[in-house]
Amino acid sequence: MDLSGVNKPKSIVERAKAIILTPKDEWPVIAAQQPTQGDILKSWVLPLAAIGPIAGFIGGQVFGIGALGFSFKPSLIAGLSTAIVSYALGIAMLFALMFIADLLAPKFGGVSNRLNAFKLVAYGYTAAWLVGIFGLIPSLAFFGLLGLYSLYLIYTGAT
């Protein structure tokens, strides 16, 4: 029996699938691992946070952006700058929520721990980041509401 892969970290696809489909089983696995914030940022946050802005940029350039019967295609520079700002704000929001989670933890019987707060928010955001793929086809953007599942993921991880 080969046990060499028992403590091997999961790939990004395996972890995303596990956190979405079986969060109650995956949160204890995440809690047991002790990567640094930098490791989580590089291997998880930066790639997943890029899905929505990149998909939105491509969808806007190919199909344009429309609402209420009006449609337009943003210029390349406008689309690119929107994607960059969206990406940066998404990561900034992650850190803001980490600080909030860390500050609130003692008020709900938890312990203040920035790494655990970062893991909670970073992995809890998974659903919101993954539904960003619907930005490829702007008419499917309403499926972005599925990202609200991240609220459940964060709740499950916090309990």
Side-chain angles (χ1 to χ4, degrees):
M1 178 194 275
D2 180 24
L3 296 176
S4 61
V6 170
N7 290 325
K8 182 180 172 191
K10 293 182 175 183
S11 74
I12 193 168
V13 173
E14 291 170 335
R15 168 73 33 97
K17 183 178 174 184
I19 195 94
I20 295 293
L21 299 177
T22 57
K24 290 182 181 180
D25 294 334
E26 190 63 18
W27 279 115
V29 174
I30 291 169
Q33 297 172 341
Q34 292 301 316
T36 65
Q37 283 184 353
D39 292 339
I40 297 169
L41 186 69
K42 286 186 285 188
S43 67
W44 188 259
V45 173
L46 295 178
L48 289 181
I51 292 172
I54 291 171
F57 171 73
I58 293 169
Q61 294 301 305
V62 173
F63 298 107
I65 299 170
L68 304 172
F70 298 100
S71 180
F72 75 97
K73 285 189 182 182
S75 70
L76 187 62
I77 299 299
L80 190 57
S81 61
T82 300
I84 291 169
V85 168
S86 175
Y87 184 61
L89 288 175
I91 293 169
M93 180 65 93
L94 171 84
F95 281 98
L97 288 175
M98 176 204 59
F99 287 118
I100 291 169
D102 188 44
L103 288 173
L104 289 177
K107 296 185 183 342
F108 290 95
V111 178
S112 179
N113 182 319
R114 288 231 170 113
L115 176 60
N116 287 342
F118 189 75
K119 289 192 314 187
L120 174 68
V121 177
Y123 291 114
Y125 247 58
T126 301
W129 285 327
L130 291 177
V131 299
I133 196 67
F134 290 115
L136 278 173
I137 303 174
S139 62
L140 296 180
F142 67 90
F143 282 119
L145 290 174
L146 295 173
L148 290 174
Y149 184 64
S150 283
L151 295 174
Y152 174 74
L153 294 178
I154 291 171
Y155 169 77
T156 306
T159 57

